[in-house]
Amino acid sequence: MRSILQCMDCGRQYPVDQVAYTCEACGGLLDVLHDMEMLKQTVSRATFDDRLGALQPPFNSGVWRYKELVNPDIDIDQIVSKPEGNTNLYRTPRLAEWVGLETFYLKHEGENPTGSFKDRGMTGGVTQAQLLGMDRVACASTGNTSASLAAYAAYAGLEGIVFFENKEIALGKLAQAIAYGATCIQVSADFDRNLELVRTISEELGIYVLNSVNPFRLEGQKTIIIEMIQQLGWQVPDWIVVPGGNLGNSSAFGKGLHELYELGLIDRMPRLAIIQAQGANPLYRAYKTGFEQYEAIHAETIASAIKIGNPVNYRKAVRTIQWTDGVVEEVSDQEIMDAKAMVDAQGIGCEPASACSVAGARKLVDMGIIQPHETVVGILTGHVLKDPDATINYHRNSLSNIEANYPNILHQAEPSIEEISRILAGEPVPTGG
Ligand code: F0G
């Protein structure tokens, strides 16, 4: 059984042990293709159910539990895993009511080792880097990829190199990249330009690129939906709602669902809704033209993780929308921050970009596209601690152009029983005690 790389546009094939991200002939994005006929003979739901609760690598990882679908040929001793996945699927009745649904689940990918879904892709990518004998790995990042790359590179003993915009990166993410010892380079350019720089420099210097243009990243990321469907007893939800930035997840989900269906592990395709921030919405704009026109834009949003104007996986995301009868929607920064406050107030918590899933589901219910009785799973992509500034400034009502509609006010008090009792009784206390 051997997997191959194949161009999604012209079909040209490359061996998996070649360093390649896009097609040499036409520039198209590459897919990792597995031997589906062989997999039909060898995997079933039971293959993966039997591995639940495994304590030892590789099957204690929520990525490598599905090894046959991720990287069937690899020797298990070569896998670099922390281990990732095994994230919770929360049922959220109060949030469901706010969104307008009877059944709403949240799959919390912020519960991965470095606090975002990126770890699922990074275990695949760093493992591949080692197999290829690369000793340096690099990415451009809005923050989470850099945190994940830094951790996995350090764990594997490789040099990690991360590029990010010289402002915008959320504090938690910057702290992680520095702490894990990556070479961190702040560049006075946005994410889209940084990605171009990383790709060019890496090619010149022989560094392995671990942005989601790398097809092995997407093989790991597709396990988000495989694990989620397994958690639902292999029952497919009606909708999966996911934020869209560089569109790696959207692309990975489409491929994963297509494969699960082809292998008979699911009996129907769910519909996918990709949600973009209004100020970073090139996919939404293209969707509105029936994908006739695509234009890169200059991105601006409080959800810094998805402040991306020229998503590298655009073509694969379009394919996902076609495969899943999907939709693309946009939400404002106000809607994002209000949805985040609601997720946080359930005791679940997420970073701003993740809240697109919830704000988007609510909007799609409101528009009558998602029906209230349909089962919906929202993907939360990052942990609440990633962007403490956005959270605190929302509750202080100090964000420009955003109202704190669901504030949790930070009280100030003198060390006085009387004053604190008044706060607890909900009575007004003069600011500063
Ligand atoms: N949510 C979070 C928290 C993210 O960090 C990202 C992407 C996305 C959503 C969008 O996912 O790119 O697969 O559509 N962050 C990247 C980074 C770009 O550099 O950390 P996507």
Side-chain angles (χ1 to χ4, degrees):
M1 189 189 313
R2 286 223 61 89
S3 303
I4 44 157
L5 293 169
Q6 180 172 295
C7 173
M8 70 174 286
D9 291 327
C10 74
R12 185 162 166 175
Q13 297 189 338
Y14 303 85
V16 284
D17 56 6
Q18 181 174 335
V19 177
Y21 318 101
T22 50
C23 180
E24 282 167 9
C26 76
L29 295 166
L30 303 181
D31 285 311
V32 183
L33 284 199
H34 305 300
D35 182 344
M36 297 302 275
E37 291 313 311
M38 174 70 92
L39 287 180
K40 276 181 199 164
Q41 311 300 318
T42 50
V43 300
S44 65
R45 292 176 180 178
T47 312
F48 306 124
D49 286 344
D50 288 348
R51 295 172 184 168
L52 289 172
L55 297 176
Q56 299 303 323
F59 299 141
N60 60 351
S61 158
V63 171
W64 297 103
R65 176 179 310 126
Y66 314 102
K67 176 182 180 292
E68 291 81 353
L69 308 185
V70 173
N71 195 336
D73 304 318
I74 197 173
D75 176 350
I76 57 173
D77 296 333
Q78 294 175 305
I79 294 173
V80 181
S81 170
K82 293 209 353 124
E84 40 295 310
N86 294 306
T87 60
N88 285 303
L89 183 65
Y90 295 98
R91 195 158 178 179
T92 59
R94 276 177 289 146
L95 195 64
E97 201 179 316
W98 187 75
V99 171
L101 289 168
E102 286 163 25
T103 311
F104 188 42
Y105 293 94
L106 289 174
K107 173 88 173 139
H108 207 328
E109 288 300 302
E111 295 173 352
N112 271 291
T114 75
S116 85
F117 70 91
K118 304 288 181 181
D119 297 338
R120 291 196 189 248
M122 209 50 76
T123 181
V126 169
T127 296
Q128 186 64 20
Q130 271 208 330
L131 285 175
L132 295 169
M134 309 296 281
D135 50 13
R136 290 192 292 178
V137 291
C139 71
S141 182
T142 56
N144 280 324
T145 305
S146 64
S148 184
L149 180 146
Y152 278 78
Y155 196 63
L158 307 179
E159 184 187 347
I161 302 164
V162 303
F163 285 44
F164 32 72
E165 193 173 352
N166 59 354
K167 48 184 171 69
E168 304 288 345
I169 183 169
L171 206 59
K173 306 172 188 181
L174 178 59
Q176 286 179 291
I178 291 175
Y180 295 132
T183 301
C184 299
I185 310 173
Q186 289 193 302
V187 184
S188 55
D190 63 11
F191 170 83
D192 301 297
R193 176 73 186 121
N194 274 325
L195 183 51
E196 284 171 7
L197 285 169
V198 160
R199 290 177 70 177
T200 310
I201 291 165
S202 296
E203 171 136 30
E204 271 176 31
L205 303 183
I207 300 168
Y208 195 54
V209 177
L210 284 176
N211 279 100
S212 57
V213 68
N214 184 314
F216 294 96
R217 278 268 316 268
L218 302 190
E219 290 309 287
Q221 279 170 222
K222 77 186 183 192
T223 63
I224 298 171
I225 43 117
I226 307 176
E227 186 177 88
M228 178 265 283
I229 291 172
Q230 185 179 28
Q231 284 168 312
L232 292 174
W234 300 101
Q235 295 308 301
V236 174
D238 296 307
W239 288 91
I240 300 169
V241 189
V242 65
N246 218 14
L247 303 175
N249 266 344
S250 310
S251 303
F253 289 11
K255 182 171 188 284
L257 289 166
H258 200 269
E259 290 169 347
L260 290 180
Y261 187 73
E262 201 182 331
L263 294 173
L265 295 170
I266 57 173
D267 51 18
R268 68 186 172 96
M269 292 286 269
R271 297 183 71 186
L272 195 81
I274 304 175
I275 314 297
Q276 294 206 293
Q278 219 160 51
N281 63 354
L283 181 71
Y284 174 74
R285 289 177 191 223
Y287 171 74
K288 282 295 183 193
T289 70
F291 297 121
E292 293 278 306
Q293 286 167 33
Y294 168 79
E295 235 179 282
I297 62 161
H298 174 73
E300 223 29 91
T301 169
I302 188 159
S304 59
I306 50 173
K307 200 169 96 62
I308 295 172
N310 191 17
V312 73
N313 288 301
Y314 170 75
R315 294 265 302 109
K316 284 185 177 173
V318 173
R319 181 176 72 177
T320 292
I321 292 295
Q322 289 158 351
W323 276 345
T324 64
D325 186 22
V327 301
V328 186
E329 195 43 70
E330 61 171 5
V331 289
S332 67
D333 282 2
Q334 179 71 56
E335 290 169 312
I336 290 171
M337 291 309 288
D338 284 342
K340 169 175 152 54
M342 291 302 294
V343 173
D344 294 352
Q346 311 307 308
I348 292 175
C350 66
E351 67 165 286
S354 308
C356 281
S357 301
V358 178
R362 190 174 193 233
K363 188 165 180 185
L364 290 168
V365 171
D366 194 48
M367 293 165 76
I369 294 171
I370 297 181
Q371 304 302 314
H373 66 270
E374 290 184 303
T375 299
V376 181
V377 179
I379 310 296
L380 297 180
T381 45
H383 196 279
V384 69
L385 287 175
K386 288 283 190 172
D387 191 348
D389 291 323
T391 305
I392 292 168
N393 290 331
Y394 174 87
H395 290 286
R396 277 190 188 136
N397 205 11
S398 61
L399 294 173
S400 55
N401 303 319
I402 293 173
E403 282 293 315
N405 290 324
Y406 305 98
N408 183 15
I409 289 155
L410 177 60
H411 300 281
Q412 307 290 331
E414 292 298 316
S416 138
I417 300 290
E418 197 203 339
E419 206 171 293
I420 293 169
S421 300
R422 272 196 283 151
I423 292 172
L424 296 178
E427 291 168 18
V429 173
T431 318

